[in-house]
């Protein structure tokens, strides 16, 4: 039976440290500030944004949620970003994705000043990840790296397999594992003999968005399995991309859903916002 990696517990420890650092910074007159913009009323996005706002309050951050209607034009959104870019209280700007189809996501991420881009989606920040010379790291993969470090799972020399090649998770995850000297393979929907590849993994990261996609026969005995999936089942419950019940008997460590990677994502957002506020304090 695998060790269950408790993301909630790790997130709690990291957030306590962040709150301490935020309190110290506030004494110098700098309160970390995050602005989250949400366009439209996508139910899942509303929940994510509410959780971000709550986490900010608990860490002693200032936070603003800017709710804009679905009909908001691209220009209106860009104007809002521009005013937040100039707002001295705001260290981080996050535009919740997905955006309605009539708004160009690329234009929006390009409009966020790289130093306030706590999602690390701006091309400048994306490029910095390639060279290992980064200011911010994307929240989900960086949260996973924090978990691995916390569990003393060394990446160097390990066979790391990432399933999924999204810009938000799969690609930056691969780059971060590589920066830590892992031997990295990225799999996707066109990968042939997927199970053969995943069975080589010492560390398997799954971000495909399909409930129960990875089954026990795809996992090497003793592997570390990280489940990024958050799939709402017909039962109304959240399910990961990994068949937890089957895989837990094969893996040496596994993240549950919920309570695994999820809490770490917002934790990294707090870390990035705190880092931005520290930079403001130094100016
Ligand atoms: N939608 C789903 N995940 C994310 C995220 O990490 N950042 C933003 N901005 N939107 C998201």
């Amino acid at each position: 039976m695998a060790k269950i990696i408790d993301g909630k517990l790790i997130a709690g420890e990291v957030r306590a440290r962040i709150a301490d650092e935020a309190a110290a910074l506030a004494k110098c007159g700098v309160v970390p500030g995050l602005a989250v913009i949400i366009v439209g009323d996508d139910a899942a996005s509303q929940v994510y944004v509410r959780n971000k706002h709550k986490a900010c309050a608990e860490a002693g951050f200032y936070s603003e949620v800017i709710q804009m209607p679905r009909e908001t034009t691209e220009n209106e959104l860009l104007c809002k970003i521009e005013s937040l870019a100039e707002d001295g209280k705001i260290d981080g700007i996050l535009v919740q994705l997905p955006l309605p189809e009539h708004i160009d996501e690329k234009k929006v991420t390009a409009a966020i000043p790289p130093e306030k881009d706590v999602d690390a989606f701006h091309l400048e920040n994306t490029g910095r990840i390639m060279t290992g010379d980064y200011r911010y790291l994307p929240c989900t993969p960086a949260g996973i790296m924090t978990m691995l470090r916390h569990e003393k799972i060394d990446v160097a020399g390990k066979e790391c397999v990432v399933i999924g090649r999204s810009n938000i998770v799969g690609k930056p995850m691969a780059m971060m594992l590589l920066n830590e000297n892992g031997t990295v393979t990225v799999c996707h929907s066109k990968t042939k003999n997927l199970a053969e590849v995943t069975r080589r993994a010492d560390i398997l990261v799954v971000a495909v968005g399909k409930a129960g996609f990875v089954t026990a026969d795809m996992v090497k005995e003793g592997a570390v399995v990280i489940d990024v999936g958050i799939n709402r089942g017909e039962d109304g419950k959240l399910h990961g991309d990994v068949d937890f019940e089957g895989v837990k008997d094969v893996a040496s460590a596994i993240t549950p859903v919920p309570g695994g990677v999820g809490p770490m994502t917002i934790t990294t957002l707090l870390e990035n916002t705190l880092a931005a506020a520290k930079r403001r304090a130094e100016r």
Side-chain angles (χ1 to χ4, degrees):
M1 166 81 187
K3 174 174 187 200
I4 314 290
I5 303 178
D6 188 341
K8 234 173 142 175
L9 183 87
I10 303 168
E13 286 179 25
V14 179
R15 289 185 200 190
R17 176 185 52 76
I18 291 171
D20 286 348
E21 291 191 35
L25 209 54
K27 282 194 186 133
C28 308
V30 174
V31 176
L34 176 71
V36 179
I37 304 178
I38 176 165
V39 184
D41 49 15
D42 177 73
S45 291
Q46 293 284 349
V47 175
Y48 294 145
V49 168
R50 217 173 315 138
N51 288 342
K52 286 167 186 171
H53 188 55
K54 188 161 156 259
C56 279
E58 284 167 3
F61 288 16
Y62 169 74
S63 89
E64 271 180 40
V65 174
I66 296 120
Q67 172 74 60
M68 302 179 87
R70 207 199 158 279
E71 305 73 41
T72 301
T73 65
E74 190 176 276
N75 218 24
E76 284 166 339
L77 177 56
L78 293 173
C79 281
K80 186 69 217 172
I81 292 170
E82 206 176 303
S83 80
L84 291 167
E86 287 162 11
D87 187 334
K89 298 189 300 301
I90 298 300
D91 297 295
I93 303 170
L94 181 150
V95 178
Q96 187 66 26
L97 303 177
L99 286 165
E101 270 176 18
H102 64 277
I103 298 178
D104 183 347
E105 199 177 293
K106 281 191 186 152
K107 265 196 201 163
V108 171
T109 44
I112 298 171
E115 63 278 9
K116 291 197 177 188
D117 171 36
V118 285
D119 255 331
F121 291 168
H122 188 286
L123 289 182
E124 182 179 322
N125 289 324
T126 308
R128 282 171 173 272
I129 297 164
M130 290 287 283
T131 59
D133 167 32
Y134 44 75
R135 268 189 293 235
Y136 309 118
L137 288 170
C139 296
T140 299
I144 291 169
M145 296 309 287
T146 303
M147 276 181 138
L148 294 176
R149 268 193 304 276
H150 184 277
E151 296 299 304
K152 303 199 166 39
I153 295 163
D154 193 13
V155 174
K158 299 274 171 62
E159 287 283 345
C160 305
V161 174
V162 179
I163 318 181
R165 56 173 156 180
S166 71
N167 292 331
I168 296 184
V169 182
K171 284 185 207 165
M173 184 80 252
M175 210 45 67
M176 283 180 227
L177 291 165
L178 185 59
N179 282 341
E180 295 287 328
N181 301 311
T183 302
V184 183
T185 307
V186 183
C187 300
H188 46 79
S189 54
K190 301 282 191 295
T191 298
K192 297 208 168 67
N193 305 320
L194 178 66
E196 230 168 74
V197 182
T198 59
R199 271 197 299 269
R200 289 207 304 263
D202 300 310
I203 299 173
L204 178 62
V205 179
V206 191
V208 287
K210 289 184 187 155
F213 182 79
V214 165
T215 46
D217 58 302
M218 298 167 74
V219 177
K220 180 166 86 173
E221 186 85 34
V224 173
V225 179
I226 307 292
D227 189 348
V228 184
I230 303 178
N231 310 287
R232 179 81 57 188
E234 281 172 12
D235 55 4
K237 293 186 182 156
L238 294 180
H239 299 270
D241 289 349
V242 175
D243 169 28
F244 183 87
E245 285 309 313
V247 172
K248 74 178 189 332
D249 295 329
V250 183
S252 63
I254 185 168
T255 61
V257 176
V261 173
M264 297 306 296
T265 298
I266 295 186
T267 302
T268 312
L269 177 65
L270 296 176
E271 279 185 319
N272 286 346
T273 306
L274 177 68
K278 281 183 181 170
R279 237 173 261 123
R280 166 156 64 101
E282 283 163 11
R283 280 203 297 269

